[in-house]
Amino acid sequence: MAKPYWQEEEKKKAWFLLLLLIVLMLVETQLAVMLNNQAGEMTSALAGKNGDRFWTSVHTCLFILAFAVPIYAFYYYMRDLFANQWRRWLTSRFLDGYLKGRKYYELGSDSEIDNPDQRISEDINTFTGRSTHFLLIFLGSIMQLVAFSAVLWSISHLLVGVLAVYALVGTVVALYVFGTPLIQLNFWQLRREADFRFSLMRLRENAESIAFYRGEAQERAHIDSKFDKVIHNFSRLIKKQRSLNLFQRTFSQLTLVLPFIILAKGVLSGELEVGRAIQAAGAFTAVLAAVGIIVDNFESLSRFVAGIGRLQALSALMLPDAEPKTAVADRHPRIQTRPGKHLALEALTLHPPQSERVLIKDLTLVLKPGDALLITGDSGCGKSSLLRAIAGLWHTGSGVIHHPPQEDFFFLPQQPYLQSGTLRSQLIYPSTTSSLSDEQLLEILEQVHLPRLAERVGGLDAVQDWEKKLSVGEQQRLAFGRVLVHGPSIVILDEATSALDSGNEASLYARLRDSGTTLISIAHRPAVLRHHTHVLHLLGDGAWEVHDACGYQFDGQAASVRGSGIASPLAAPPLKVAVAG
């Protein structure tokens, strides 16, 4: 995940900022060594009652601080700026993969990846921020180790040996005793927290439906179950962290005593100045902090590694170098898609994702410009699934779908999607701009029987909570307005007029038919039959029938030629009908 940032289009900026940070760290480390030396000087001057030496050291300290303080502040500013730049680039890369090829839709049905939104919004921020933090503290530790080891070696060889053994033992204990359990617990804590947050978001998004059902008790039970898992996992996590904290505290506090115990004999015998002992203690603490970096940061390192695991799983499916999931592809052959002048299905067999159930078997038909196909059948027989396959959302099955460019399709679901934004943005969605004038947009609103909508809400540039502001019927009419704005050649309607009265429904269907648009509809009202030329009746278990709309009745009493095999192309006159499955 990190490698492309340092090798692709952002590499010059990335390396420049990193080198600048390293220079700042080198300067800061050198200033820290100089301050430590002056601390020893001041202590020795006080012990020797040497006023001139003391005040000279004080002036030197103040001079060093005049440089150290702004460099310290600028270093942390540049560190955060670098992490922010990296986050912007990596988030953009993930969003490209998330939205390209409708990956967001596929991940929604993939049980292996939970809460991809949280991984993109939070885990990337943690990854870039923590990566920068740990990279710099490890580099800083190396610099600190080199700088202060020289000071320490010049004072006591024994102190250096004790330090090396002490740090090695502490690091080994931290890694082998606390390593894997803390990483696993932090991984599950991130997942449990995300699930709990999603359950609250789901409650907010479906507030009206839940309120109508009075489903508060069941929703509370569902939220409580998610929250209980958060608390249970966190209880296990803090118990393990308690043990780690005891170890870390013991490890760090002993350093307050160790250097003085080792140097006490030299100071008491007069061989070593008190100031030199203070200087050695400061150097010992600095070097131990450098070599004990893993011990001191183990808790945050374990959370960091857990977050990387979640982000890596997502990147394996989304980023440009992601490998396809061959196991799934081998188990379920994919439906092929090929460009064509007309929408045509050739021996199409359809399964739900990750399932062996056959929804449709060996369906063949052709829709030519001006045709209108009504898809009907019992609930659960695969009507909406067929639309998903035509739209390129479902691929599990076999056969071939020949289709014009995706830009020629326009899909109208039963519940239209309304984004946050202006009335204009709702009307021209999914486009971000439109060449149509305000007068033309207002005329389209009149054509879909919303003549006073703009006036009522405050104009085309008014921003409202549209899902609450508009009834479902108004939302469906507004969605029809999008069709008129874009003028697609093929419109797919999934019960898109279910909330409309018969007059509005007939008027909108007639407008689409008059424009020569090819229609594919799912509907259950007999009134819509007259707006279609053919009917595809799905019988369940993969079976289907194709009928001429003129002779079809919703009660199933329709004249059809029954046989076996594949239906002839739907649009080829005279129409031949067959039964498959």
Side-chain angles (χ1 to χ4, degrees):
M1 291 183 294
K3 188 177 178 181
Y5 183 62
W6 303 95
Q7 295 184 342
E8 296 181 2
E9 67 275 5
E10 295 276 332
K11 63 181 180 181
K12 290 184 178 179
K13 182 186 294 185
W15 284 108
F16 172 76
L17 290 174
L18 180 60
L19 289 174
L20 177 59
L21 285 168
I22 291 174
V23 170
L24 290 172
M25 288 171 62
L26 285 169
V27 174
E28 189 179 4
T29 302
Q30 180 59 38
L31 293 173
V33 172
M34 293 169 66
L35 286 172
N36 184 66
N37 292 339
Q38 292 306 314
E41 275 290 299
M42 285 189 288
T43 304
S44 294
L46 290 172
K49 299 181 180 179
N50 187 335
D52 292 340
R53 183 182 178 186
F54 172 76
W55 288 111
T56 300
S57 180
V58 169
H59 293 152
T60 304
C61 274
L62 292 175
F63 181 76
I64 294 170
L65 284 172
F67 290 94
V69 171
I71 288 176
Y72 174 86
F74 186 62
Y75 164 76
Y76 281 99
Y77 167 74
M78 293 305 301
R79 185 197 69 177
D80 294 339
L81 178 65
F82 174 74
N84 198 42
Q85 293 283 345
W86 190 4
R87 181 193 181 189
R88 177 191 56 77
W89 180 87
L90 189 58
T91 300
S92 177
R93 191 164 186 256
F94 266 81
L95 287 175
D96 287 343
Y98 190 50
L99 296 172
K100 186 178 181 180
R102 297 170 175 172
K103 278 287 185 182
Y104 60 90
Y105 181 84
E106 295 179 17
L107 292 175
S109 58
D110 191 339
S111 58
E112 297 179 14
I113 300 295
D114 64 282
N115 303 293
D117 52 326
Q118 185 256 353
R119 299 187 190 210
I120 293 174
S121 63
E122 295 184 19
D123 290 353
I124 287 179
N125 186 30
T126 301
F127 172 72
T128 54
R130 288 281 139 186
S131 291
T132 304
H133 172 70
F134 287 125
L135 171 66
L136 294 175
I137 65 171
F138 279 120
L139 289 175
S141 296
I142 294 172
M143 297 176 190
Q144 191 169 296
L145 177 64
V146 173
F148 283 96
S149 291
V151 175
L152 199 59
W153 184 261
S154 68
I155 297 174
S156 172
H157 295 1
L158 176 62
L159 203 54
V160 174
V162 171
L163 176 64
V165 174
Y166 188 74
L168 179 64
V169 171
T171 303
V172 169
V173 170
L175 287 174
Y176 285 94
V177 175
F178 302 103
T180 302
L182 267 177
I183 291 172
Q184 288 294 325
L185 288 170
N186 276 297
F187 176 89
W188 283 106
Q189 189 64 25
L190 288 171
R191 182 164 188 167
R192 302 303 188 204
E193 294 281 5
D195 288 343
F196 174 57
R197 183 168 52 252
F198 180 76
S199 66
L200 293 173
M201 183 176 70
R202 184 172 167 273
L203 174 67
R204 175 173 57 84
E205 290 180 345
N206 297 278
E208 183 173 305
S209 298
I210 294 169
F212 273 124
Y213 278 115
R214 296 190 299 276
E216 295 83 7
Q218 189 174 35
E219 291 300 319
R220 176 59 187 267
H222 176 74
I223 292 171
D224 283 346
S225 69
K226 298 295 184 184
F227 188 58
D228 287 343
K229 291 179 181 178
V230 171
I231 296 301
H232 175 69
N233 192 80
F234 191 68
S235 297
R236 296 175 59 199
L237 180 62
I238 60 176
K239 288 178 182 177
K240 181 60 70 173
Q241 286 177 342
R242 177 192 59 193
S243 302
L244 175 63
N245 290 336
L246 285 171
F247 172 74
Q248 286 177 319
R249 194 67 174 175
T250 303
F251 183 83
S252 62
Q253 292 300 308
L254 282 176
T255 62
L256 298 176
V257 180
L258 273 178
F260 291 105
I261 293 176
I262 295 170
L263 298 174
K265 183 178 178 181
V267 174
L268 294 174
S269 65
E271 297 176 6
L272 191 67
E273 285 186 335
V274 176
R276 290 287 280 172
I278 296 296
Q279 188 179 349
F284 183 91
T285 303
V287 173
L288 184 62
V291 296
I293 193 73
I294 293 178
V295 177
D296 293 338
N297 293 275
F298 199 81
E299 181 183 337
S300 55
L301 273 168
S302 64
R303 288 198 302 269
F304 175 57
V305 172
I308 288 179
R310 287 169 53 81
L311 202 56
Q312 176 63 27
L314 185 64
S315 71
L317 297 175
M318 283 175 36
L319 295 187
D321 54 352
E323 296 180 1
K325 299 173 74 174
T326 54
V328 176
D330 292 339
R331 188 167 68 248
H332 293 301
R334 289 172 67 89
I335 297 168
Q336 300 179 43
T337 57
R338 297 174 185 169
K341 294 182 179 179
H342 316 298
L343 178 64
L345 312 180
E346 181 183 333
L348 178 67
T349 297
L350 181 62
H351 305 275
Q354 304 176 359
S355 173
E356 299 291 343
R357 181 189 173 199
V358 178
L359 296 173
I360 298 171
K361 184 177 181 182
D362 292 331
L363 173 61
T364 296
L365 56 83
V366 177
L367 280 175
K368 291 186 177 178
D371 285 337
L373 176 68
L374 176 64
I375 304 174
T376 187
D378 294 337
S379 178
C381 66
K383 301 185 297 296
S384 295
S385 301
L386 178 58
L387 299 188
R388 295 186 185 108
I390 293 173
L393 301 181
W394 281 17
H395 307 282
T396 310
S398 60
V400 182
I401 298 178
H402 303 269
H403 60 81
Q406 292 291 342
E407 294 75 19
D408 292 345
F409 287 80
F410 207 94
F411 182 77
L412 293 183
Q414 182 176 15
Q415 180 62 51
Y417 170 67
L418 300 176
Q419 62 169 184
S420 57
T422 64
L423 177 59
R424 185 193 310 275
S425 68
Q426 309 311 311
L427 193 54
I428 67 174
Y429 188 85
S431 299
T432 55
T433 59
S434 175
S435 59
L436 298 179
S437 65
D438 288 2
E439 291 75 16
Q440 290 172 309
L441 293 177
L442 293 172
E443 174 62 25
I444 287 174
L445 287 176
E446 289 190 18
Q447 292 176 18
V448 296
H449 309 293
L450 295 171
R452 288 182 292 276
L453 176 60
E455 179 183 347
R456 174 159 58 93
V457 300
L460 290 172
D461 294 316
V463 177
Q464 302 280 354
D465 186 348
W466 300 107
E467 290 185 350
K468 295 179 180 178
K469 188 74 174 179
L470 304 179
S471 67
V472 178
E474 288 175 320
Q475 293 178 33
Q476 290 185 343
R477 279 178 277 167
L478 185 60
F480 264 90
R482 293 172 174 173
V483 176
L484 301 181
V485 168
H486 292 89
S489 58
I490 300 174
V491 178
I492 301 174
L493 304 97
D494 187 358
E495 300 191 56
T497 58
S498 59
L500 300 182
D501 58 84
S502 57
N504 273 313
E505 181 180 64
S507 174
L508 295 176
Y509 261 108
R511 189 172 296 278
L512 290 181
R513 295 293 290 135
D514 291 342
S515 66
T517 303
T518 301
L519 297 183
I520 303 175
S521 301
I522 293 177
H524 299 283
R525 294 180 185 175
V528 303
L529 192 59
R530 62 192 177 96
H531 301 292
H532 296 81
T533 57
H534 304 92
V535 177
L536 172 63
H537 185 191
L538 302 182
L539 305 173
D541 297 324
W544 50 271
E545 293 177 346
V546 177
H547 302 274
D548 192 323
C550 297
Y552 184 77
Q553 297 178 0
F554 269 89
D555 59 7
Q557 302 299 318
S560 65
V561 180
R562 292 181 175 269
S564 60
I566 300 174
S568 299
L570 183 153
L575 179 68
K576 295 181 180 180
V577 228
V579 181

